[in-house]
Structure formats: structure tokens, C-alpha cells
Amino acid sequence: VRPGCFTTGSRVQPKKYMLLGGGQEGGKRSGTENVPYIVALGTAADIIMKRTEQGDLQWQQNAHWMKAMRYRLKKNLVKALGEDMVRDNGPDRHNYRLPNTLSIGIKSVQSGDLLNQIQRQVACSAGSACHASGEQLSPVLEAMCVPSEFARGTLRLSVGPDTTEEEIDKASAIIIREVTRQVGLGSTED
């Protein structure tokens, strides 16, 4: 079934949709498959398989480095703000998560307000990738059982194979400084 095949006029409409979207199409299936990107993903998979067969393990080294940078970012935030203020929204089992992405909930903050203050200094986004707008909680974060006090303050941060420890520490300091200002935790070290 293609998007837009069913109308709300006199034509027959299905009782239940097989695919639900994020609301861009009124609750019906949103979007169209991006064929060039699908082909590119397949090509990238072919390339990495060929390189792996030839002994090139650079992708594993990159993944290991990104995990370390992701962990450093989380550790910095938890150390400065406290375990009661910071929640890692990702899976507990680290082999179930992407090496480069950190979804972190910060208690007593609104992610949109935080993002507005830091977005020119730290590349990040608010909420979940599937629902990053408005006052409502993300259904994705709800499905992940993220408590509302953390879901409202969720930031998504990504690192890359070229991300440095210094960049992580600088981003951490900027986030910590703004959270501290918004929540009134007192002074923190930079």
C-alpha cells in the first residue's frame, strides 16, 4: 500500500492500517521509502563485508573508540550532576545499542529549553529521533519506560570516530553549566 492510496472521501478505507506513522500523515503510514539510501546502505554493507574478509578491522576500532567517547560523556554528566539527575535511556545490555549514540534524560529540565541554550555550542537534539517536538512526551521514550521526569529532559548526543576526549569534555562542561543554571544546583567545575 502506498501513501495516499486511501482517501477520506467516498472511497473505501481500511479499518486498520498495517503501518502507523509519526503523525505527519494524520496517523496513517508516513513517508516513502528512500530508495537511494536503501541501496547505499546495502552497498555500505557489501563494502564492510569485503574489507572484513581482507582483514580490515578499522570499523571495529571506530566502534570501540565511539563507545569509549559515549561512556566518557555519560560519566562526565553523571559525575557532575549526580546519578539521581541523569538517566541513560539506552538498553542496559551494551551490545544492544549503537556505539555512537547516547540518549540521556536529565531530571527537572525541559530538553527544548536546554537545547535552545546550548545548540550553538553542542550538536545534539531533544527527545527521541521519532518524536522531537512539542510538549507531549515521546511515545518512543514512553515505550522504553523512561520516567516522565527524565523523558522531558532527554537529549540525544552522537559521537564519531574522530571525536576527541577534549571535545567530549568541552560538550560535557557546556551541558553541565546550563543544567546547573536551569535547575539551580550551585556552581560546578568546568
Side-chain angles (χ1 to χ4, degrees):
V1 177
R2 304 246 334 129
C5 289
F6 298 102
T7 66
T8 56
S10 61
R11 294 172 62 190
V12 177
Q13 296 180 43
K15 298 273 187 215
K16 295 181 182 177
Y17 292 96
M18 292 173 51
L19 300 172
L20 300 176
Q24 302 91 322
E25 299 292 333
K28 302 174 189 83
R29 180 173 177 247
S30 314
T32 303
E33 290 80 9
N34 187 335
V35 176
Y37 281 22
I38 294 168
V39 172
L41 180 61
T43 302
D46 284 343
I47 291 169
I48 201 162
M49 292 306 294
K50 287 176 185 167
R51 286 184 177 177
T52 301
E53 290 168 5
Q54 296 167 359
D56 182 354
L57 301 179
Q58 184 62 48
W59 67 272
Q60 288 181 332
Q61 293 169 353
N62 288 348
H64 179 74
W65 178 255
M66 290 184 289
K67 284 180 194 176
M69 293 301 95
R70 182 191 70 210
Y71 178 75
R72 183 182 186 101
L73 179 58
K74 175 187 166 188
K75 184 183 76 161
N76 288 352
L77 295 173
V78 169
K79 182 179 178 184
L81 300 172
E83 288 185 17
D84 59 325
M85 286 286 295
V86 179
R87 180 185 194 277
D88 184 343
N89 296 330
D92 291 333
R93 295 184 65 184
H94 291 282
N95 58 330
Y96 286 173
R97 61 189 312 158
L98 294 171
N100 69 318
T101 306
L102 177 64
S103 170
I104 197 120
I106 304 172
K107 193 174 183 179
S108 304
V109 208
Q110 295 293 323
S111 58
D113 295 340
L114 180 56
L115 187 60
N116 284 337
Q117 296 301 316
I118 66 172
Q119 65 186 349
R120 294 192 174 159
Q121 302 165 68
V122 178
C124 61
S125 55
S128 74
C130 300
H131 185 81
S133 64
E135 300 281 324
Q136 295 179 328
L137 290 180
S138 158
V140 173
L141 294 174
E142 286 179 338
M144 292 168 58
C145 300
V146 176
S148 62
E149 64 268 20
F150 290 101
R152 292 185 197 293
T154 292
L155 290 180
R156 287 187 327 274
L157 301 124
S158 298
V159 299
D162 297 324
T163 302
T164 66
E165 291 176 342
E166 293 78 20
E167 290 169 327
I168 292 295
D169 294 344
K170 183 177 179 181
S172 301
I174 291 166
I175 295 167
I176 292 162
R177 186 171 37 251
E178 184 56 28
V179 168
T180 300
R181 187 189 72 75
Q182 288 187 17
V183 178
L185 291 173
S187 65
T188 61
E189 295 178 21
D190 284 350

